[in-house]
């Protein structure tokens, strides 16, 4: 039963990872760059929710009303002012810029909030759960997080496949130069895509802040988990990202079941195994290169 | 003297050769007349130069942005510890560290080479994390808290300091000189081709891959040596420190500030970084905020780094790796 | 009906550069409303660069002027030029491969209704409705070219520019596409057509411009151009 429990908890944990990953996946899918500050932005969102929640005395879920627009605006501005100029510098410049941003964010958060461990007070939502059997129970918050992850991914999928802006994102991702010739403003398309990605980062930050603890230096770890979820599931597929998150979550909880310190390591090893055996991700049909 | 001809050396580079060789000699003699505090500082600086040169070799010449070189730094560091534990002379462990790090890098390359661009960067980082997590599981090397290197107590402190210094200097000369010679070789030519025209070089396929693989292995070996020297200097290995991602941040900073894709840039970048570190470290994390911000600005506005600014886009090369065409008139001088 | 005397697109003393390489030298060109101008010339003569100079995707010397209906396009970014009324059907078709045929058309369609919309494009190329839901990357070359032309049309440009429509296509397919272009021209569309296939180009053009090494070597009404004159302009006087 402990093993079943480990798998169930892993699936729920995977919801968080899928949530981390969708912003990373979207930015890569449209802009073809990897945002190395992704994890730190997630932590920033959690801290923002903490500050807003304390200032207004509201539940963390309500802070989403502030944090999501704030991060989306930050994403739009960052893309417009910093990342777009960097995109012209080839592959290297955006990576260096986002890495520098990651260092800046992390250390600003350290200065502002110290290295103390925090969490967002979820109240009864955080403690209440559903006992499936005597030994197996699931927390409502964990279930809600997985539900939100699925909802966000479905929402993104619909946005990209059904709307005009989604169409513009796909076109710009396919061929930015031709997209301009067809009257699309690549700068704006990129900025909107980044804003949407940052909005998902905000959601991820708030939910992971309620589910667990965070410190200013947690960002890199979150980036790695998000990245592993994306690669395990397969690049460029949002469904793959969900599956990748779930696989990573299960790998970690099952690993931790063997020995607590093996949790993260097991996740990494599953990632490396996928990379070795199915570099296109587990959902991708075997492709010959 | 009417024909144009092709030369390697510029006048500056000939002067530089005249400066570099005596400089190395002076530096090598330093322990005989300078206090130990000076040589200790220089050991730190030399290790940074080695790291910067290795990262530049990877990114500037190999086109591979790694955020995981601390994995090989850690392996080098732990090689010293293991050598110490089995009773080997820790100094002997320095070349072994290069070997071990290079050997680990070879199979690693087959995994991470499946990723491109930014994903390659994070992939190398995951590998470094795996090295760290595996290391802390090994009780014999101190687990999560690390261990001290004791074998050096056999040496008198002054001699120990001098030998560590010579190791660091040798590593620096090997790293900078090695990259210089490498870039003048056939491999260097292939790498330049890859950098300048990736799609055309793609048609060379296998050759590109193996050129990149050699670079990856060599850069890992260099980082292993740097790790070994850092441990010899501090006499203590802590997994969270030697495997810390901040090393990657430092390497990136040094190379970007100094000038990517040049031999001289990383050296300049390392000196600047070292000076900033000494000046700004009392300010805690603010100093990293400044470093990060400067790296962002440099990546946006000064793509050729300080060396690029210093030379103002002119044809200055202290270490000539490429060939230049001399116009007939100039050639006759 | 338009008399064809209003200058719509005007290039004055256009020099274009790729880094240190000068691709166009002092090009002057006027395209009148409703007129079709064909630009011919050998590979590397600067034909594509001419179109790029109108779209703003190549560096021009400061004195160069590109005007659309009297409005200097100057420093405008490419997508803004599309809004002003120039559209390029690029060489190699450049459809968005992961979008469907319909989406490829929709992406360029202007909200304001004009002569051209999806329905009129489907009328012009009757096989496209059947392909509407297919990914554009899966189409044959001729089908892709039809979509690319349609994609240019639905933007309802004042000047439609086409780059090497016939490139890599079978003669029978080229014949059909040029039939469609003739129809488009007769609808009153102003067109600037770059073409290697001189015969096809002369069929629909009113004026011919021949480039060699980035400079104009021949500019004349299509009706007056002889095969010998084209050959001479193409290869230089000594040929």
């Amino acid at each position: 039963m402990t093993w079943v429990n480990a798998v169930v908890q892993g699936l729920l944990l995977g919801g968080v990872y899928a949530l981390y990953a969708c912003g990373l996946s979207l930015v890569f899918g449209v802009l073809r760059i990897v945002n190395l500050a992704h994890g730190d932005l997630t932590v920033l969102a959690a801290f923002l929710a903490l500050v807003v929640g304390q200032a207004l005395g509201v539940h963390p879920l309500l802070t989403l009303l502030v944090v999501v627009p704030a991060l989306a605006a930050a994403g739009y501005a960052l893309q417009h002012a910093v990342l777009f100029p960097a995109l012209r510098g080839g592959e290297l410049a955006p990576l260096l810029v986002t890495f520098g941003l990651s260092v800046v964010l992390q250390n600003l958060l350290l200065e502002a909030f110290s290295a103390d461990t925090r969490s967002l007070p979820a109240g009864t939502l955080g403690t209440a759960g559903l006992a499936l059997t005597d030994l197996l129970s699931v927390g409502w918050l964990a279930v809600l997080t997985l539900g939100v992850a699925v909802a966000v991914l479905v929402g993104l999928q619909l946005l990209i496949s059904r709307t005009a802006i989604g169409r513009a994102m796909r076109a710009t991702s396919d061929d930015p130069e031709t997209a301009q010739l067809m009257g699309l403003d690549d700068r704006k398309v990129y900025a909107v895509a980044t804003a949407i990605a940052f909005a998902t980062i905000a959601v991820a930050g708030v939910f992971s802040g309620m589910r667990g603890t965070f410190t200013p230096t947690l960002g890199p770890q979150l980036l790695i988990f998000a990245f592993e979820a994306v690669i395990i599931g397969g690049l460029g597929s949002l469904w793959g990202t969900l599956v990748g998150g779930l696989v990573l979550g299960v790998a970690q909880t099952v690993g931790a079941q063997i020995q607590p310190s093996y949790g993260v390591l097991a996740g990494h090893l599953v990632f490396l195994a996928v990379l070795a055996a199915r570099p296109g991700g587990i959902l991708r049909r075997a492709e010959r290169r | 003297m009417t024909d144009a001809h092709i030369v390697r050396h510029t006048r500056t580079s000939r002067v530089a050769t005249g400066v570099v060789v005596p400089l190395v000699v002076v530096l090598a003699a330093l322990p005989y007349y300078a206090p130990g505090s000076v040589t200790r500082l220089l050991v730190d600086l030399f290790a940074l130069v080695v790291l910067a040169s290795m990262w530049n070799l990877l990114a500037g010449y190999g086109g591979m942005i790694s955020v995981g070189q601390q994995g090989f730094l850690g392996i080098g560091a732990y090689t010293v510890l293991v050598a110490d534990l089995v009773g080997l002379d820790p100094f002997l462990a320095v070349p072994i560290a290069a070997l071990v790090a290079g050997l680990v890098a070879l199979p690693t390359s087959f995994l991470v080479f499946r990723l491109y661009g930014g994903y390659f960067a994070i992939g190398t980082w995951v590998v470094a994390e795996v090295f760290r997590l595996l290391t802390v599981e090994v009780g014999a090397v101190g687990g999560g808290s690390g261990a001290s290197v004791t074998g050096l107590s056999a040496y008198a402190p002054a001699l120990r300091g001098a030998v560590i210094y010579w190791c660091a200097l040798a590593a620096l000369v090997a790293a900078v000189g090695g990259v210089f010679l490498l870039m003048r070789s056939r491999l260097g030519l292939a790498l330049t081709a890859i950098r300048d025209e990736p799609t055309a070089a793609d048609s060379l396929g296998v050759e590109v891959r193996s050129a990149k693989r050699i670079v990856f292995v060599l850069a890992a070996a260099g980082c292993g040596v740097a790790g070994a020297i850092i441990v010899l200097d501090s006499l203590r290995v802590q997994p969270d420190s030697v495997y810390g991602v901040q090393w990657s941040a430092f390497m990136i900073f040094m190379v970007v500030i100094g000038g990517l894709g040049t031999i001289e840039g990383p050296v300049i970048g390392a000196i600047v970084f070292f000076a900033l570190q000494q000046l700004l470290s009392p300010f805690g994390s603010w100093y990293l905020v400044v470093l990060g911000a400067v790296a962002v600005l440099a990546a946006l506005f000064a793509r050729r780094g300080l060396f690029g600014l210093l030379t103002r886009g002119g044809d200055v090369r202290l270490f000539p790796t490429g060939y230049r065409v001399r116009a007939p008139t100039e050639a006759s001088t | 009906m338009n008399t064809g005397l209003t200058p719509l697109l005007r290039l004055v003393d256009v020099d274009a550069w790729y880094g240190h390489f000068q691709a166009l030298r002092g090009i002057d060109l006027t395209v009148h409303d409703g007129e079709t101008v064909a630009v011919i010339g050998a590979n590397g003569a600067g034909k594509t660069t001419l179109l790029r100079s109108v779209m703003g995707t190549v560096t021009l010397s400061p004195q160069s002027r590109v005007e659309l209906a009297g409005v200097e396009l100057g420093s405008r970014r490419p997508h803004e030029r599309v809004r002003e009324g120039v559209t390029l059907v690029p060489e190699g078709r450049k459809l968005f491969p992961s979008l469907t045929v319909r989406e490829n058309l929709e992406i360029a369609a202007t909200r304001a209704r004009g002569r051209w919309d999806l329905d009129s494009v489907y009328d012009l190329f009757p096989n496209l409705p059947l392909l509407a839901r297919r990914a554009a990357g899966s189409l044959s070359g001729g089908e892709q070219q039809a979509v690319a032309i349609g994609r240019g049309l639905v933007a309802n440009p004042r000047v439609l520019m086409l780059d090497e429509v016939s490139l890599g296509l079978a003669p029978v397919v080229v014949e059909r596409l040029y039939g469609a272009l003739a129809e488009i021209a007769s609808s009153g569309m102003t067109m600037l057509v770059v073409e290697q296939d001189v015969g096809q180009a002369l069929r629909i053009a009113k004026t011919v411009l021949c480039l060699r090494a980035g400079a104009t070597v021949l500019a004349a009404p299509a009706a007056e151009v002889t095969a010998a004159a084209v050959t001479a302009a193409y290869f230089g006087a000594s040929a």
Side-chain angles (χ1 to χ4, degrees):
Chain A
M1 206 56 193
T2 54
W3 295 102
V4 176
N5 186 48
V7 171
V8 170
Q9 302 304 334
L11 290 171
L12 294 171
L13 181 63
V16 185
Y17 294 159
L19 210 44
Y20 289 154
C22 49
L24 191 72
S25 185
L26 181 64
V27 168
F28 180 79
V30 179
L31 282 80
R32 304 277 166 209
I33 64 170
V34 176
N35 176 10
L36 293 178
H38 183 83
D40 305 289
L41 287 160
T42 312
V43 175
L44 174 72
F47 273 106
L48 194 58
L50 186 72
V51 171
V52 171
Q54 280 172 354
L56 303 178
V58 294
H59 192 272
L61 283 179
L62 281 177
T63 67
L64 283 170
L65 294 174
V66 178
V67 180
V68 170
L71 266 272
Y76 193 96
L78 182 75
Q79 170 62 43
H80 212 74
V82 181
L83 292 181
F84 189 76
L87 278 172
R88 293 180 180 170
E91 196 181 36
L92 189 68
L95 277 176
L96 294 176
V97 166
T98 57
F99 192 79
L101 196 68
S102 154
V103 174
V104 170
L105 268 181
Q106 219 179 96
N107 290 287
L108 281 180
L109 287 172
L110 261 178
E111 280 296 325
F113 297 100
S114 81
D116 294 349
T117 302
R118 314 293 179 102
S119 76
L120 296 174
T124 45
L125 178 65
T127 48
L130 176 67
L132 297 174
T133 69
D134 288 349
L135 292 167
L136 183 61
S137 70
V138 291
W140 282 122
L141 179 59
V143 174
L144 178 67
T145 307
L146 180 58
V148 167
V150 172
V152 167
L153 283 162
V154 169
L156 282 180
Q157 189 69 51
L158 289 176
L159 179 94
I160 285 173
S161 60
R162 299 283 171 82
T163 67
I165 184 67
R167 199 170 59 208
M169 286 180 199
R170 280 180 289 142
T172 309
S173 167
D174 270 359
D175 184 346
E177 274 173 37
T178 306
Q180 287 183 66
L181 293 180
M182 296 307 132
L184 293 174
D185 182 354
D186 54 343
R187 191 169 194 157
K188 193 172 157 199
V189 171
Y190 286 149
V192 169
T194 313
I196 293 168
F198 275 41
T200 70
I201 288 177
V203 175
V206 170
F207 275 92
S208 70
M210 284 194 291
R211 283 210 50 182
T213 59
F214 54 93
T215 68
T217 51
L218 187 65
Q221 178 117 68
L222 299 190
L223 169 68
I224 287 183
F225 291 161
F227 158 74
E228 288 178 335
V230 170
I231 298 291
I232 291 173
L235 273 177
S237 151
L238 286 170
W239 294 124
T241 299
L242 178 62
V243 174
L246 298 180
V247 168
L248 181 64
V250 171
Q252 289 190 359
T253 49
V254 169
Q257 187 69 42
I258 298 166
Q259 192 188 311
S261 65
Y262 287 176
V264 174
L265 182 61
H268 291 334
L269 293 178
V270 166
F271 159 76
L272 291 178
V274 169
L275 196 57
R278 296 189 76 105
I282 47 178
L283 281 195
R284 192 72 54 89
R285 273 169 278 117
E287 269 176 47
R288 276 182 302 155
R289 301 180 39 96
Chain B
M1 282 299 201
T2 50
D3 294 332
H5 65 239
I6 292 164
V7 295
R8 229 178 181 148
H9 289 271
T10 60
R11 192 179 300 161
T12 9
S13 73
R14 266 187 230 108
V15 174
T17 317
V19 172
V20 166
V21 173
L23 181 67
V24 170
V25 173
V26 168
L27 282 176
L30 205 61
Y32 293 106
Y33 51 83
S37 58
V38 171
T39 53
R40 269 206 78 167
L41 272 180
L42 286 177
V43 170
D44 287 345
L45 174 62
F46 292 173
L48 288 174
V49 173
V50 172
L51 288 172
S53 293
M54 290 304 109
W55 200 83
N56 177 54
L57 174 64
L58 267 180
Y61 294 126
M64 292 172 276
I65 301 183
S66 163
V67 189
Q69 290 312 101
Q70 65 273 16
F72 301 111
L73 192 150
I75 284 176
Y78 272 93
T79 304
V80 174
L81 182 62
V82 171
D84 184 44
L85 288 174
V86 301
L88 270 177
D89 187 316
F91 288 121
L92 204 63
V94 176
I96 301 175
L99 198 66
V100 173
L103 280 178
V104 173
L106 188 61
T108 302
S109 74
F110 284 91
L111 269 182
V112 293
F113 277 21
R114 295 176 170 228
L115 298 165
Y116 292 92
Y119 283 107
F120 172 85
I122 313 184
T124 56
W125 191 353
V126 171
V127 169
E129 281 294 288
V130 169
F131 293 166
R132 179 178 69 84
L133 291 168
L134 289 175
T135 306
V136 300
E137 291 300 325
V138 182
V141 292
S145 50
S148 292
V149 179
T150 52
L152 286 178
S153 50
Y155 290 86
L159 178 63
R160 187 174 72 206
V163 177
I164 293 171
Y165 173 82
W166 284 320
C167 281
L169 182 64
L172 175 141
V173 171
V176 178
V179 172
F180 173 58
L181 292 177
L182 191 71
M183 289 317 293
R184 285 177 67 133
S185 70
R186 227 184 91 77
L187 185 81
L189 209 61
L191 289 171
T192 313
I194 298 169
R195 186 179 59 172
D196 293 347
E197 200 53 71
T199 38
D202 262 357
S203 58
L204 301 167
V206 180
E207 215 174 319
V208 170
R209 289 229 138 194
S210 62
K212 286 190 155 193
R213 205 179 307 286
I214 292 168
V215 164
F216 188 77
V217 169
L218 288 178
C223 289
V225 168
I229 287 164
I230 287 164
V231 164
L232 286 176
D233 189 42
S234 65
L235 295 179
R236 186 156 177 80
V237 194
Q238 275 176 309
D240 290 348
S241 160
V242 292
Y243 286 114
V245 71
Q246 81 274 4
W247 289 111
S248 276
F250 296 165
M251 285 182 237
I252 293 175
F253 180 85
M254 290 185 284
V255 175
V256 172
I257 291 301
L260 185 76
T262 60
I263 307 280
E264 303 85 347
V267 181
I268 297 171
I271 294 170
V272 170
F273 173 76
F274 184 71
L276 284 177
Q277 209 178 26
Q278 303 299 317
L279 283 172
L280 296 177
S281 52
F283 301 100
S285 23
W286 283 112
Y287 118 84
L288 286 165
V289 173
V290 171
L291 286 192
V294 171
V296 171
L297 293 175
L300 283 177
F301 303 113
R303 300 238 162 92
R304 300 181 57 222
L306 275 179
F307 188 68
L309 290 179
L310 285 177
T311 57
R312 296 243 177 82
D315 186 25
V316 179
R317 280 279 185 274
L318 306 181
F319 294 92
T321 52
Y323 294 91
R324 265 137 271 279
V325 179
R326 277 272 166 271
T329 48
E330 213 178 324
S332 61
T333 55
Chain C
M1 278 311 289
N2 207 293
T3 55
L5 289 175
T6 331
L8 190 55
L9 177 69
R10 236 160 65 93
L11 276 68
V12 183
D13 195 13
V14 169
D15 291 345
W17 300 83
Y18 296 108
H20 293 295
F21 174 72
Q22 185 169 9
L24 290 180
R25 298 162 191 278
I27 298 289
D28 294 310
L29 169 67
T30 304
V31 184
H32 295 97
D33 198 2
E35 181 189 28
T36 296
V37 174
V39 182
I40 60 173
N43 267 334
K47 306 187 296 295
T48 297
T49 308
L50 180 70
L51 302 187
R52 294 182 58 144
S53 70
V54 179
M55 291 313 297
T57 54
V58 66
T59 313
L60 302 186
S61 298
Q63 91 289 344
S64 306
R65 288 178 67 81
V66 177
E67 289 172 9
L68 184 73
V71 177
E72 162 76 46
L73 294 178
S75 61
R76 279 166 215 249
R77 296 175 54 208
H79 69 95
E80 293 167 331
R81 296 176 186 227
V82 175
R83 233 172 280 154
E84 287 294 326
V86 283
T87 296
L88 172 64
V89 176
E91 183 181 346
R93 308 177 278 274
K94 300 282 173 63
L95 296 184
F96 302 111
S98 68
L99 271 60
T100 64
V101 166
R102 194 190 164 86
E103 285 175 327
N104 263 284
L105 294 172
E106 282 172 341
I107 211 149
T110 42
R111 228 163 284 151
R113 284 187 58 84
R115 161 79 177 77
W116 295 99
D117 56 16
L118 263 63
D119 289 333
S120 50
V121 167
Y122 287 165
D123 286 344
L124 185 66
F125 300 110
N127 57 332
L128 289 192
L130 305 169
L131 304 169
R133 292 170 154 276
R134 291 258 302 272
S138 69
L139 266 50
S140 75
E143 291 163 346
Q144 288 196 14
Q145 189 65 70
V147 178
I149 294 171
R151 192 175 60 170
L153 286 172
V154 293
N156 284 298
R158 303 165 83 166
V159 179
L160 179 67
M161 304 192 295
L162 301 113
D163 195 354
E164 304 278 14
V165 165
S166 70
L167 195 75
L169 299 179
V172 57
V173 177
V174 176
E175 194 69 27
R176 219 178 303 142
L177 288 169
Y178 267 85
L181 289 185
E183 221 173 297
I184 296 164
S186 67
S187 77
M189 177 69 80
T190 312
M191 295 201 284
L192 185 56
V193 182
V194 158
E195 188 53 89
Q196 293 246 16
D197 186 336
V198 179
Q200 293 292 359
L202 290 178
R203 219 180 95 190
I204 60 165
K206 183 168 164 288
T207 309
V208 174
L209 188 75
C210 185
L211 299 181
R212 195 171 67 234
T216 309
V217 287
L218 173 74
E224 294 169 18
V225 172
T226 62
V230 169
T231 313
Y234 229 85
F235 300 107
S238 59

